[in-house]
Amino acid sequence: MSEEKKFNRLPLNEKGELIKGECSLKSPRNLVFISQKKTGKTLTAANYPKILIADCEEGTKDFGFPVNNQVNVLRYEGEEAFKKTNKYGWLPMGLFQLVDELKQANDMPTYWKLFQEFDDKKDKSSYEALIAHINKMPFPILMLDTITSFIEVSNSAALHEYNQNVKTESRKTDIKRVDEYGGVRLIRRKFEEVKLFVEQNASPFIIFAGHIAEKKKVFKKSEDDISTVDIDLEGILSKIFTVKASAIGIFQRTNEGCFIDFTKRDESDLGVRNAHLSNKVIKLADFISSEDLAKGKTPKTYWSTIYPEIEFV
C-alpha cells in the first residue's frame, strides 16, 4: 500500500490527485472601460444600488439632478491634505478618508478572510459564504471616475512625498520637473501604491472609467477603430494599468443604448480573463432621451450581466 502524503501548497489530495474546484468567481475584480468624453459612462452608474462613484474631477455635479451615490475624492476633512501610511507611503487625504470608511462599511477584513478560504477550497460552501458577505455590503463596486483625474490625484501625493524628502530649496511644484526623466520613476511607484491601496481596502470590485487619449492620430480614428491601447495615460502607465485589469473594453453609446465592447479589435488589444465577457459586446444601459434626463431620470441598466454574483437591490 502506497503511503499517503499531505500537500499544503500544491492542489493535490492525499493520493496525489488534482483537486477539482467546484466554483469560481465570475465578476471582474478590476474592470477598465474607455470612451470619448461625454458618452454617458458615469450616467450608467448614477444612483444605481451597490455602486459608489469616486468622483475625481467633480463631474457628477453637472448632471442637473442629485447623484446620491458619489463622493468627491478631492475633498477631505481637516487641514492636512495628505496622510502618511506605512505600507503605501503618502496618500491624498480625500482618497484615504473615502477608502478608510469604505473598508469599514464593506467590512473588508472579513471579505479578505472569506476570499482566502474560497481561493484555497473553491468549494460551494466557501463560495456561498463569500457571495453572502459581498451582498451585505453597501458598495461592493467602486467606480473611479476618471482614470486620468485619478492619476492626477496620485501625482499630487507623489509630489508631496518627494518634497518631504528633500531640502526646502530643492522642493518642486510639479512632479514632472523633479528630474531629467520627467519624474517617471516616482509617478509610476506612487501610482502603483495608490492603486494597490484602493484595491486592497475599498471594495471587492473596482471599475476604472477612462477617456480616449486626445491625440491627433487617435482623433482620426473611427469609433470602430479605437482600441484599448488608446487609453488616455502617459507612457508606460498605459500598459502597466491595462495589463493588470481583469477585463478591459470600449464603452459606446448608440441610439439603442450603451454598450461595452470586450472584443479584441487587433493584436495590440488585451484579452478578457472573465469567460462570460470575453470577446462579447455587452449591453449596459437602454437609450434615454435628453428630455427624460432633464427630468432627473436615469436609464435602465444591466450591471448584473457583468457582475452576476451581485444582487443590485
Side-chain angles (χ1 to χ4, degrees):
M1 182 180 293
S2 60
E3 181 182 352
E4 292 188 346
K5 299 179 181 179
K6 182 178 181 180
F7 297 95
N8 295 319
R9 297 290 296 165
L10 298 178
L12 301 173
N13 62 20
E14 290 81 358
K15 296 180 180 180
E17 300 169 336
L18 183 67
I19 299 173
K20 297 181 180 180
E22 298 177 15
C23 305
S24 64
L25 195 62
K26 297 179 177 64
S27 301
R29 294 177 61 190
N30 291 282
L31 169 63
V32 177
F33 58 80
I34 63 173
S35 75
Q36 302 286 2
K37 294 182 178 179
K38 311 299 182 184
T39 53
K41 295 185 300 297
T42 314
L43 181 63
T44 62
N47 294 331
Y48 202 75
K50 300 294 185 177
I51 302 176
L52 181 67
I53 301 170
D55 190 345
C56 301
E57 56 186 21
E58 299 184 320
T60 54
K61 69 179 183 181
D62 298 324
F63 277 12
F65 59 85
V67 179
N68 302 315
N69 62 329
Q70 66 84 28
V71 176
N72 188 336
V73 176
L74 304 179
R75 295 181 182 176
Y76 54 89
E77 294 183 359
E79 298 181 358
E80 299 296 327
F82 299 92
K83 174 73 174 182
K84 188 175 183 179
T85 66
N86 293 327
K87 186 175 182 179
Y88 311 99
W90 287 93
L91 298 171
M93 185 61 79
L95 182 67
F96 173 82
Q97 291 175 344
L98 164 61
V99 173
D100 189 52
E101 289 193 5
L102 258 182
K103 181 179 180 179
Q104 298 177 52
N106 285 337
D107 190 5
M108 288 300 288
T110 298
Y111 164 78
W112 284 115
K113 178 183 177 182
L114 292 171
F115 179 87
Q116 190 59 58
E117 291 176 0
F118 166 68
D119 197 43
D120 291 340
K121 299 177 181 178
K122 293 182 176 62
D123 62 354
K124 186 176 180 180
S125 177
S126 60
Y127 173 79
E128 290 177 345
L130 177 63
I131 299 307
H133 182 68
I134 288 173
N135 281 308
K136 290 178 182 178
M137 296 179 177
F139 300 113
I141 302 174
L142 175 67
M143 175 187 282
L144 286 155
D145 186 35
T146 63
I147 298 171
T148 308
S149 299
F150 175 62
I151 291 176
E152 290 176 0
V153 171
S154 174
N155 285 351
S156 69
L159 176 63
H160 180 79
E161 191 164 294
Y162 171 82
N163 285 335
Q164 294 300 305
N165 297 317
V166 298
K167 296 179 180 179
T168 303
E169 60 270 20
S170 299
R171 292 178 178 177
K172 306 293 183 181
T173 57
D174 187 341
I175 189 62
K176 296 179 181 179
R177 295 183 179 275
V178 301
D179 56 36
E180 60 183 316
Y181 305 106
V184 171
R185 180 179 60 85
L186 299 179
I187 290 173
R188 175 179 174 177
R189 184 180 68 190
K190 180 50 60 180
F191 174 63
E192 290 180 333
E193 288 175 341
V194 171
K195 184 171 178 287
L196 188 64
F197 168 67
V198 172
E199 293 171 343
Q200 291 185 341
N201 296 282
S203 299
F205 309 107
I206 310 296
I207 298 173
F208 298 93
H211 292 147
I212 303 298
E214 294 182 345
K215 298 177 181 178
K216 187 175 181 180
K217 65 178 182 179
V218 177
F219 280 137
K220 289 182 178 180
K221 291 184 177 183
S222 68
E223 190 172 71
D224 291 337
D225 292 329
I226 291 173
S227 71
T228 55
V229 297
D230 295 319
I231 190 171
D232 188 14
L233 294 176
E234 294 182 1
I236 196 172
L237 281 181
S238 174
K239 200 69 174 178
I240 293 172
F241 193 94
T242 55
V243 77
K244 294 183 180 180
S246 304
I248 179 167
I250 307 298
F251 182 94
Q252 298 174 328
R253 183 176 66 185
T254 70
N255 291 333
E256 297 179 358
C258 296
F259 302 80
I260 301 183
D261 185 352
F262 291 107
T263 60
K264 290 192 67 172
R265 301 187 177 193
D266 55 50
E267 290 303 314
S268 62
D269 268 357
L270 299 171
V272 176
R273 297 189 181 101
N274 306 86
H276 71 295
L277 303 176
S278 182
N279 214 34
K280 295 179 181 178
V281 178
I282 304 295
K283 185 171 186 178
L284 188 57
D286 286 342
F287 174 82
I288 186 170
S289 68
S290 56
E291 290 79 10
D292 283 339
L293 280 176
K295 296 176 183 177
K297 295 182 179 180
T298 53
K300 181 180 179 180
T301 54
Y302 306 95
W303 283 103
S304 58
T305 307
I306 297 176
Y307 298 97
E309 284 97 355
I310 297 181
E311 299 171 2
F312 289 96
V313 292

